[in-house]
């Protein structure tokens, strides 16, 4: 039986805060509009446009999103680091004969730039999906599990009838993730391989 695991990207597999912060600061410098970049990176998860709406009038959000995305490759890729356990989690899925797919609210090309730069090699990358909308990709990929750091990731897993596995590496602690309905809560992805071994053993037993 081939199992498929979906992974969120920002603050699940990668710590993109330094690069995103640098991108917001450059956007602020170019536009003359104050953006609290530290605040912005403390609430990663929702689509870019949600954050930009805090700083720009609604009629300028689409234009600012385009400007942000133009800046992003030169400011955000190099400073970003893989979170502890990220490579091991993807490798654990592959070693068990499974597939790993990244499903993220970040646009696909930028997600792929991050993964290539960090040497992370999932089987597929789907961008531009947030919260319940992530279920579209998770169902299409027949994902059994979805791993994320945000409450929106739990909602996406639920909508796809996938097991919601949460890591407390983003804006929510373990208690908040459990309260939001996560099926499994891990401190970070370093705990994933041992959990995955037990999970696949039980899945084989039930097959």
């Amino acid at each position: 039986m081939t199992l498929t695991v979906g992974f969120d990207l920002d603050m699940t597999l990668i710590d993109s805060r330094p690069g995103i912060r640098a991108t917001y600061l450059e956007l602020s410098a170019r536009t003359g509009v104050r953006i609290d970049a530290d605040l912005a990176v403390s609430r990663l998860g929702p689509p870019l446009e949600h954050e930009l709406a805090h700083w720009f009038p609604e009629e300028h959000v689409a234009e600012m999103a385009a400007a942000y995305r133009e800046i992003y490759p030169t400011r955000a890729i190099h400073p970003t680091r893989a979170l502890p356990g990220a490579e091991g989690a993807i490798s654990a899925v592959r070693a068990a004969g499974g597939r790993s797919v990244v499903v993220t609210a970040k646009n696909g090309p930028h997600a792929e730039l991050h993964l290539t730069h960090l040497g992370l090699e999932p089987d597929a990358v789907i961008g531009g999906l947030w919260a319940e909308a992530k279920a579209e990709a998770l169902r299409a990929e027949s994902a059994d599990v979805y791993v994320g750091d945000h409450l929106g990731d739990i909602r996406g897993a639920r909508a796809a009838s996938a097991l919601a596995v949460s890591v407390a590496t983003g804006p929510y602690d373990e208690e908040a993730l459990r309260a939001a309905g996560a099926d499994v809560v891990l401190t970070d992805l370093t705990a994933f391989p041992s959990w995955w071994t037990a999970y696949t053993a039980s899945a084989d037993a039930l097959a």
Side-chain angles (χ1 to χ4, degrees), residues 142-155:
S142 300
D144 305 277
V145 175
Y146 186 57
V147 185
D149 67 284
H150 200 281
L151 305 190
D153 298 325
I154 298 172
R155 287 155 44 199

Side-chain angles (χ1 to χ4, degrees), residues 184-203:
V184 177
V185 178
L186 306 175
T187 302
D188 58 32
L189 285 178
T190 62
F192 180 87
S194 59
W195 173 82
W196 175 245
T197 297
Y199 175 74
T200 53
S202 65

Side-chain angles (χ1 to χ4, degrees), residues 7-125:
F7 289 95
D8 176 48
L9 185 64
D10 292 315
M11 302 313 300
T12 297
L13 289 171
I14 67 174
D15 184 353
S16 51
R17 291 173 299 183
I20 291 175
R21 182 179 185 277
T23 304
Y24 277 123
L25 290 175
E26 177 63 19
L27 181 63
S28 179
R30 291 189 185 187
T31 61
V33 174
R34 178 186 174 276
I35 299 172
D36 187 336
D38 292 316
L39 177 58
V41 300
S42 74
R43 51 192 184 197
L44 298 181
L48 169 64
E49 289 80 1
H50 289 209
E51 183 61 41
L52 290 173
H54 291 290
W55 311 107
F56 296 95
E58 182 179 355
E59 62 269 23
H60 294 311
V61 167
E63 177 189 357
M64 292 302 101
Y68 175 99
R69 291 186 175 114
E70 180 185 355
I71 296 166
Y72 195 92
T74 61
R75 292 290 193 277
I77 305 302
H78 183 72
T80 293
R81 297 290 179 264
L83 282 165
E87 183 176 4
I90 292 174
S91 297
V93 173
R94 183 170 293 120
R99 298 177 65 253
S100 60
V101 297
V102 170
V103 181
T104 174
K106 191 183 298 296
N107 72 85
H110 289 168
E112 290 180 358
L113 283 174
H114 278 302
L115 294 164
T116 299
H117 176 71
L118 296 171
L120 300 175
E121 298 180 337
D123 295 287
V125 180

